[in-house]
Amino acid sequence: MEAFEPASLASKVGYLSGQEVFKDLTKEEMEWLDRVTTEMTCERGRIIYIPGESREVLYLLKKGVVNLYRLSPEGKKLIIAHLPAGTFFGEMSLLGQGMYDSFAEAAEPSVLCAMSRADVERLLLTKPIVALRVLQVVGRRLLNAQAVLEDLAFKSVGARLAALLLRLAEEQQSSTITGLTHQDLAEMAGTFRETATLALNELKAQGLIGLGRTRIDILDSGRLAAVAQG
């Protein structure tokens, strides 16, 4: 993989100290965390890792969006996680996180802070409250991944997209979903862009959503939830 360029953005400590999982660290512990993390930038479309890589690194997403996805034998992409700034991802077997069967790609220009397995282990062993918060995040992500797979197996494209829009609205804490193209939504719902566009237009025709350029407004969440039940 291509090497990252060091990020020129300032205030890495300010970012790290603002994260929920690190809020109980002392000033000295935050200074240590600053020393052991490496800040880096990557442009949109940069592949951060691919299946089969053996290095173990935890990435803290400071800015941007990262997609974790898998490829079918036919090359069809399925996004299993759409991660906003302020969360983490990577290969950490001790956290129950694996990168061996998935890709990580920057969905927009992003800034990451990388942390080695040894330093993650040291932090979790010395600060159990951090370990607890990390496990809570991993648990929520696992539940979301299970929901995606269940939708893919049992629901129509329209129902999958309705459920996806409701999840995204909850994550963004807004009835307006921004920053995603029809191609992005198709890959998150496990379908083709043309099929996703037809289903979105049907939801729009029913008065459930409004469509704009990389913008979707949820107009009737109750009826959309009924559609999502399939």
Side-chain angles (χ1 to χ4, degrees):
M1 306 306 298
E2 297 181 51
F4 291 104
E5 298 178 359
S8 58
L9 298 180
S11 101
K12 181 171 62 153
V13 173
Y15 161 73
L16 294 172
S17 62
Q19 297 309 295
E20 178 71 15
V21 293
F22 301 135
K23 70 178 185 180
D24 295 301
L25 298 187
T26 65
K27 180 176 181 293
E28 291 73 21
E29 289 167 336
M30 286 305 310
E31 291 173 349
W32 170 82
L33 189 63
D34 177 47
R35 291 194 300 272
V36 301
T37 54
T38 302
E39 189 170 293
M40 54 195 72
T41 63
C42 53
E43 70 276 11
R44 175 185 170 89
R46 175 73 67 87
I47 301 297
I48 300 165
Y49 58 69
I50 62 175
E53 289 191 352
S54 59
R55 58 193 175 121
E56 291 208 357
V57 180
L58 189 69
Y59 295 101
L60 308 168
L61 182 54
K62 177 178 179 181
K63 178 182 178 182
V65 175
V66 168
N67 286 333
L68 307 184
Y69 67 89
R70 297 177 183 175
L71 291 178
S72 72
E74 298 77 25
K76 185 178 179 182
K77 183 188 292 187
L78 174 63
I79 296 177
I80 57 177
H82 181 74
L83 305 178
T87 190
F88 57 83
F89 62 97
E91 173 50 46
M92 284 282 122
S93 57
L94 75 162
L95 302 181
Q97 293 209 138
M99 66 163 66
Y100 296 124
D101 58 353
S102 65
F103 295 79
E105 178 181 345
E108 58 184 56
S110 300
V111 180
L112 311 172
C113 297
M115 193 173 182
S116 72
R117 177 193 175 100
D119 290 323
V120 172
E121 287 182 335
R122 177 180 174 184
L123 176 62
L124 298 186
L125 288 172
T126 56
K127 299 293 288 191
I129 188 61
V130 174
L132 177 61
R133 292 201 178 99
V134 167
L135 290 175
Q136 288 172 339
V137 173
V138 172
R140 288 195 299 270
R141 193 171 297 165
L142 176 60
L143 289 175
N144 287 337
Q146 289 175 334
V148 169
L149 294 175
E150 288 175 2
D151 288 352
L152 187 62
F154 302 117
K155 293 183 177 181
S156 66
V157 172
R160 296 205 300 267
L161 282 168
L164 172 61
L165 294 178
L166 290 170
R167 284 199 299 270
L168 291 171
E170 182 178 0
E171 290 172 4
Q172 297 187 13
Q173 298 182 333
S174 172
S175 60
T176 298
I177 301 164
T178 59
L180 294 172
T181 65
H182 287 194
Q183 182 66 41
D184 295 328
L185 293 169
E187 291 171 352
M188 296 173 77
T191 189
F192 298 101
R193 182 185 61 79
E194 296 81 3
T195 307
T197 297
L198 287 173
L200 289 169
N201 284 333
E202 176 62 25
L203 295 175
K204 178 183 177 182
Q206 296 176 37
L208 306 185
I209 64 172
L211 293 177
R213 184 175 177 82
T214 67
R215 171 190 174 113
I216 298 176
D217 296 302
I218 295 179
L219 305 178
D220 192 329
S221 59
R223 290 171 60 205
L224 192 64
V227 173
Q229 293 301 314

